[in-house]
């Protein structure tokens, strides 16, 4: 097995005001394969940025070490850093310079010269879809464009390993789409290994070959999405939007009793009445969520029972177990704020 990144008992502590220590990262043993997109998923403050900063050589570990392509980041930092392209969480660009000038600057910083730097800049501009806007000053670019340029700056030297720290935070859906496609392209066409952090479950799910779920400085679960969801054995969820008329909470309680006896395999149900603050002409729907082992199998019987009880079904979604459910099962908390 070719490991691109290995951390060994990697830790970072900070002193607290009361004299105790906080483990921002706690004895982390993480292994990332060559050529994979590894998603590091965790809520705010989980330790994602601290991990990336340490394995980039930007932050000194309190203890432990990380190996990049076999080179220790603390003992052989130059050899290790040569393999890394780092796209930081904070945008680091020169606002008064043009898009192209910014990229050229970073290229020269990586030691690229002459024709080579211009060739790479052209390549990166195409990759981040900014060729047509390369002459614009960065300060006039949108947030989404700045993020894409930030990515371009981090990968100009074609590093085999790329770290991206929450690259889609606070941007428009179109730029977000482009960034996700760029990440896949870097893996599929450049053969790059990508370590990608996010607190968005959907992004980790879409992109990652493997996911590490991080919380309080530790990896609490690691594997492919299928492995992770299987491990906690969460049920499917049937989510119904229910018309408001004729569905008081008392009636819905009766409906749930009928469902429980009529349909095998339901573990529990949650009914949320229509939310009153919803204005407009149409009355808002209530929501009934049915948790069951075999969502699609149970669906016809659930619909039949609801219809017979006079419940007006406006929409239904069948949701399979996801990383959100895994996080909830492991921590008792929701991943989203
Ligand atoms: N310089 C510092 N001094 C003290 N505590 C710090 C410092 N940097 C980080 N921490 C703490 O370490 C923990 C991990 O922070 P980190 O920035 O790595 O989290 P994160 O997962 O990147 O979160 P986010 O999603 O908000 O970016 C947090 O509790 C944070 O408060
Ligand atoms: Mg962070």
């Amino acid at each position: 097995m070719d490991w691109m990144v290995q951390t060994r008992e990697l830790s970072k502590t900070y002193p607290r005001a009361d004299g105790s220590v906080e483990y921002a990262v706690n004895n982390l043993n993480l292994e990332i394969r060559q050529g994979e997109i590894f998603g590091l998923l965790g809520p705010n403050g989980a330790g994602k940025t601290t991990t990336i900063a340490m394995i980039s050589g930007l932050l000194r570990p309190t203890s432990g070490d990380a190996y990049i392509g076999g080179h220790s980041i603390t003992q052989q930092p130059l050899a290790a850093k040569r393999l890394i392209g780092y796209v930081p969480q904070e945008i680091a660009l020169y606002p008064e310079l043009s898009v192209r000038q910014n990229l050229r600057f970073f290229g020269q910083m990586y030691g690229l010269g002459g024709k080579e730097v211009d060739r790479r800049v052209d390549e990166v501009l195409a990759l981040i879809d900014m060729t047509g806007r390369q002459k614009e000053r960065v300060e006039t670019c949108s947030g989404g464009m700045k993020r894409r340029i930030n990515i371009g700056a981090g990968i100009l030297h074609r590093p085999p390993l790329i770290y991206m720290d929450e690259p889609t935070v606070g941007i428009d859906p179109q730029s977000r789409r482009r960034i996700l496609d760029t990440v896949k392209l870097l893996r599929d066409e450049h053969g790059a290994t990508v370590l990608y952090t996010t607190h968005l479950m959907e992004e980790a799910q879409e992109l990652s070959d493997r996911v590490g779920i991080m919380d309080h400085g530790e990896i609490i679960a690691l594997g492919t999405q299928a492995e992770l969801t299987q491990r906690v054995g969460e049920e499917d969820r049937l989510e119904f939007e229910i018309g408001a008329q004729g569905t008081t909470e008392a009636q819905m309680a009766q409906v749930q009793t009928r469902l429980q006896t009529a349909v095998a395999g339901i573990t529990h149900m949650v009914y949320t009445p229509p939310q009153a603050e919803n204005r407009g002409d149409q009355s808002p729907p209530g929501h009934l969520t049915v948790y069951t082992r075999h969502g699609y199998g149970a669906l016809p019987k659930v619909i039949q029972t609801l219809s017979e009880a006079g419940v007006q079904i406006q929409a239904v979604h069948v949701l399979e177990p996801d990383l959100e459910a895994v996080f909830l099962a492991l921590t008792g908390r929701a991943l989203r704020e």
Side-chain angles (χ1 to χ4, degrees):
M1 178 60 62
D2 277 334
W3 298 111
M4 193 72 209
V5 179
Q6 291 174 293
T7 74
R8 287 283 170 264
E9 307 293 327
L10 187 68
S11 295
K12 183 73 190 177
T13 60
Y14 290 108
R16 288 204 188 93
D18 64 3
S20 64
V21 293
E22 174 187 353
Y23 276 85
V25 172
N26 189 357
N27 287 296
L28 191 71
N29 291 301
L30 184 64
E31 297 184 317
I32 297 172
R33 291 180 188 135
Q34 202 156 7
E36 77 175 343
I37 298 177
F38 188 95
L40 197 55
L41 174 70
N44 291 127
K48 305 182 295 295
T49 298
T50 307
T51 299
I52 290 208
M54 284 195 287
I55 62 180
S56 322
L58 295 172
L59 183 67
R60 180 118 198 134
T62 309
S63 59
D65 204 352
Y67 301 86
I68 314 298
H71 305 288
S72 156
I73 195 73
T74 59
Q75 307 303 312
Q76 304 150 283
L78 287 182
K81 282 186 192 175
R82 217 186 325 256
L83 303 174
I84 303 170
Y86 178 46
V87 181
Q89 191 165 7
E90 304 298 330
I91 305 262
L93 299 167
Y94 294 91
E96 68 282 6
L97 297 185
S98 74
V99 175
R100 184 174 192 93
Q101 284 167 335
N102 264 279
L103 292 176
R104 287 194 95 252
F105 171 81
F106 281 96
Q108 284 160 350
M109 214 173 68
Y110 293 128
L112 302 173
K115 292 214 170 77
E116 181 68 359
V117 73
D118 281 309
R119 195 139 41 80
R120 295 284 178 87
V121 167
D122 287 335
E123 192 180 285
V124 162
L125 282 167
L127 189 73
I128 60 174
D129 201 10
M130 293 283 295
T131 306
R133 316 192 67 152
Q134 56 178 292
K135 296 207 170 107
E136 292 179 27
R137 281 203 316 276
V138 162
E139 62 194 351
T140 68
C141 292
S142 72
M145 289 194 276
K146 283 183 196 152
R147 289 232 164 251
R148 274 147 56 199
I149 305 162
N150 211 37
I151 291 174
I155 60 176
L156 261 174
H157 53 313
R158 263 194 230 141
L161 171 64
I162 300 161
Y163 299 152
M164 291 191 188
D165 198 3
E166 307 224 30
T168 63
V169 167
I171 63 170
D172 59 285
Q174 222 185 351
S175 280
R176 181 164 178 270
R177 187 68 261 150
R178 288 216 178 96
I179 288 175
L180 299 188
D181 290 344
T182 301
V183 174
K184 289 184 203 165
L185 216 70
L186 287 167
R187 176 194 58 190
D188 297 339
E189 288 178 23
H190 297 214
T193 306
V194 183
L195 169 58
Y196 185 102
T197 80
T198 180
H199 63 276
L200 301 172
M201 175 209 67
E202 294 85 355
E203 268 184 29
Q205 275 179 184
E206 180 185 334
L207 279 180
S208 309
D209 297 308
R210 291 190 308 146
V211 178
I213 302 184
M214 195 165 193
D215 193 32
H216 297 309
E218 296 182 31
I219 297 279
I220 57 171
L222 190 148
T224 64
Q225 194 189 326
E227 286 165 356
L228 291 176
T229 48
Q230 268 166 26
R231 210 175 303 167
V232 290
E234 279 291 320
E235 305 102 333
D236 295 338
R237 307 197 302 277
L238 308 179
E239 290 192 354
F240 291 92
E241 288 179 23
I242 305 281
Q245 71 208 96
T247 47
T248 63
E249 281 187 64
Q251 281 166 318
M252 283 309 292
Q254 282 180 3
V255 167
Q256 289 182 45
T257 312
R258 281 172 78 162
L259 278 172
Q260 197 67 263
T261 42
V263 188
I266 294 179
T267 56
H268 64 294
M269 287 170 267
V270 178
Y271 176 64
T272 317
Q275 299 301 308
E277 78 264 20
N278 226 329
R279 283 185 223 111
D281 292 337
Q282 282 176 328
S283 52
H287 293 270
L288 176 69
T289 306
V290 178
Y291 291 82
T292 172
R293 288 262 165 234
H294 307 289
Y296 284 102
L299 188 59
K301 193 83 187 159
V302 174
I303 290 177
Q304 189 195 336
T305 309
L306 288 174
S307 304
E308 283 170 7
V311 173
Q312 188 199 339
I313 301 170
Q314 293 182 343
V316 57
H317 308 279
V318 181
L319 302 168
E320 290 173 358
D322 55 19
L323 295 177
E324 178 74 38
V326 175
F327 189 80
L328 188 68
L330 290 173
T331 67
R333 290 180 286 120
L335 195 51
R336 310 158 202 274
E337 292 93 277

